[in-house]
Amino acid sequence: MPNLLIALVLGFFLDLLIGDPHFLYHPIRIVGNLIAFTEKQVRKVFPISSRGELAGGVVTVFVVVILSTGVPALLLYAAGRVHWGLRLLLETIMCYQLLATKSLKDESMKVYDRLKANDLPGARKAVSMIVGRDTDALDEAGVTKAAVETVAENTSDGIIAPMLFMAIGGATLGFFYKSINTMDSMLGYKNEKYLFFGRFAAKLDDVVNFLPARISAWIMIAAAPLVGLDRKEAKRIYLRDRFNHASPNSAQTEAVMAGALRVQLAGDAYYFGELYKKKTIGDNIRPVEYEDIRRANQLLYATAGVSLALFAVVRLAVWAVFAWL
């Protein structure tokens, strides 16, 4: 059990130091390819109807989850049979690859750098790489809000949630979570193609993120004063606006971020040329500014550090109790 925690801690610091080198083929890309391949094969078998696509979506989820979880588990088991040190090394690498702290910061700071250089077209292009909405018509405030919102949401999805799953069950459980989260991002659209096929993946993602999103929000509230942000306002807006989103989980950390920064986020947005009406999150106490991207990343890092410490303490306490028994 201590080795699992060592792998998570080492993986966390590797992620902070190295991030995601573009020359390495990321394992989540393999999961993404598996999802696309499985979807293609399943659609050949199941009829084109609401019931057929629902069933096909369920089969796709089970195939992807079993393979995405089972293969890492077998690799870790085989490594452990050779030597415990080899398993620790492999699990450390897996934990490192399942976290995205530095990557999220780096990608969002590209938006910050373009805005600081008064390059709005460049900022629109940079933010289009990390958000799903249309960005061509966004003004400086819109670009900034989009970047801050994705930092807030992915603090949970990309860092705290996988960290929590790995603290419980190592890299194997981390891959279990990431396979579901990746399916939601690829299949969980409410359009003609995925309304039925992607429904089970989207609902399952809501289930597995229910507790992590809320844990992330409360840790983010606790971490806000560490980087000079407003903890009381973060808590107030969280309690008021945490459900101001179509997803039951996405607004949890966005609400904290809006309160901590004392700005208003969310609101209407265009996706594929179509306007989607959305509630706002937070109060318009002051105008959003590009420096808020940097502040959001400071809160991201503080939240990640506090989460790692908290999960490690809880894991060690549980291990000590079971060892004593």
Side-chain angles (χ1 to χ4, degrees):
M1 190 177 294
N3 285 351
L4 182 156
L5 185 56
I6 291 170
L8 174 57
V9 172
L10 291 176
F12 175 80
F13 284 105
L14 276 177
D15 175 54
L16 293 187
L17 289 171
I18 304 173
D20 294 328
H22 294 292
F23 61 86
L24 290 180
Y25 196 81
H26 201 282
I28 302 304
R29 290 179 62 187
I30 299 175
V31 173
N33 291 337
L34 172 63
I35 294 167
F37 175 79
T38 305
E39 177 191 352
K40 184 177 180 180
Q41 300 310 310
V42 167
R43 284 187 182 275
K44 293 178 181 178
V45 177
F46 287 85
I48 303 175
S49 65
S50 58
R51 293 182 65 181
E53 291 191 2
L54 277 170
V58 171
V59 170
T60 299
V61 167
F62 276 98
V63 169
V64 171
V65 168
I66 289 170
L67 290 177
S68 299
T69 307
V71 171
L74 288 173
L75 289 173
L76 288 170
Y77 174 78
R81 296 284 293 179
V82 175
H83 193 275
W84 68 267
L86 181 61
R87 175 177 177 130
L88 176 60
L89 175 62
L90 180 59
E91 190 149 27
T92 296
I93 294 171
M94 288 180 175
C95 290
Y96 148 62
Q97 292 180 313
L98 287 169
L99 295 170
T101 314
K102 188 175 188 298
S103 175
L104 179 57
K105 187 263 292 184
D106 288 347
E107 293 303 312
S108 60
M109 287 303 289
K110 290 178 182 178
V111 183
Y112 171 86
D113 290 339
R114 291 299 88 215
L115 289 174
K116 191 173 182 179
N118 294 315
D119 179 10
L120 183 56
R124 289 170 175 162
K125 182 177 181 180
V127 82
S128 72
M129 306 302 292
I130 56 175
V131 301
R133 74 192 66 179
D134 298 345
T135 62
D136 291 344
L138 292 179
D139 58 11
E140 180 176 317
V143 170
T144 301
K145 286 170 61 176
V148 170
E149 287 164 20
T150 200
V151 170
E153 183 176 352
N154 284 288
T155 296
S156 177
D157 288 0
I159 299 140
I160 310 306
M163 187 189 297
L164 175 61
F165 275 85
M166 286 188 284
I168 296 170
T172 299
L173 206 58
F175 273 105
F176 167 82
Y177 169 78
K178 290 298 290 185
S179 67
I180 295 171
N181 190 241
T182 306
M183 277 189 286
D184 178 58
S185 67
M186 292 179 65
L187 309 178
Y189 294 99
K190 293 181 179 179
N191 56 25
E192 185 177 351
K193 183 177 182 180
Y194 291 113
L195 181 61
F196 296 104
F197 193 90
R199 182 172 295 178
F200 184 67
K203 296 299 183 183
L204 184 59
D205 184 72
D206 287 344
V207 171
V208 299
N209 274 299
F210 186 85
L211 285 177
R214 286 148 182 81
I215 291 170
S216 299
W218 282 108
I219 295 175
M220 186 182 285
I221 291 170
L226 300 178
V227 289
L229 297 180
D230 193 329
R231 181 187 63 81
K232 290 183 178 180
E233 189 69 5
K235 181 181 177 181
R236 185 181 75 84
I237 296 298
Y238 169 70
L239 293 175
R240 191 191 74 185
D241 293 350
R242 65 190 186 277
F243 296 119
N244 285 10
H245 200 286
S247 164
N249 302 319
S250 295
Q252 302 289 320
T253 47
E254 283 189 39
V256 176
M257 185 68 77
L261 294 174
R262 299 169 66 85
V263 299
Q264 190 173 83
L265 300 175
D268 299 346
Y270 282 88
Y271 293 84
F272 305 105
E274 183 177 350
L275 176 64
Y276 284 77
K277 306 293 289 184
K278 295 184 175 184
K279 295 180 180 179
T280 57
I281 297 174
D283 291 334
N284 192 20
I285 298 174
R286 64 171 180 83
V288 69
E289 58 186 15
Y290 64 77
E291 283 295 330
D292 289 320
I293 301 174
R294 181 179 57 81
R295 296 180 186 117
N297 279 303
Q298 290 174 342
L299 184 53
L300 157 69
Y301 268 60
T303 304
V306 171
S307 297
L308 180 68
L310 177 62
F311 297 161
V313 168
V314 172
R315 178 82 198 198
L316 286 172
V318 171
W319 174 79
V321 169
F322 276 97
W324 180 74
L325 292 175

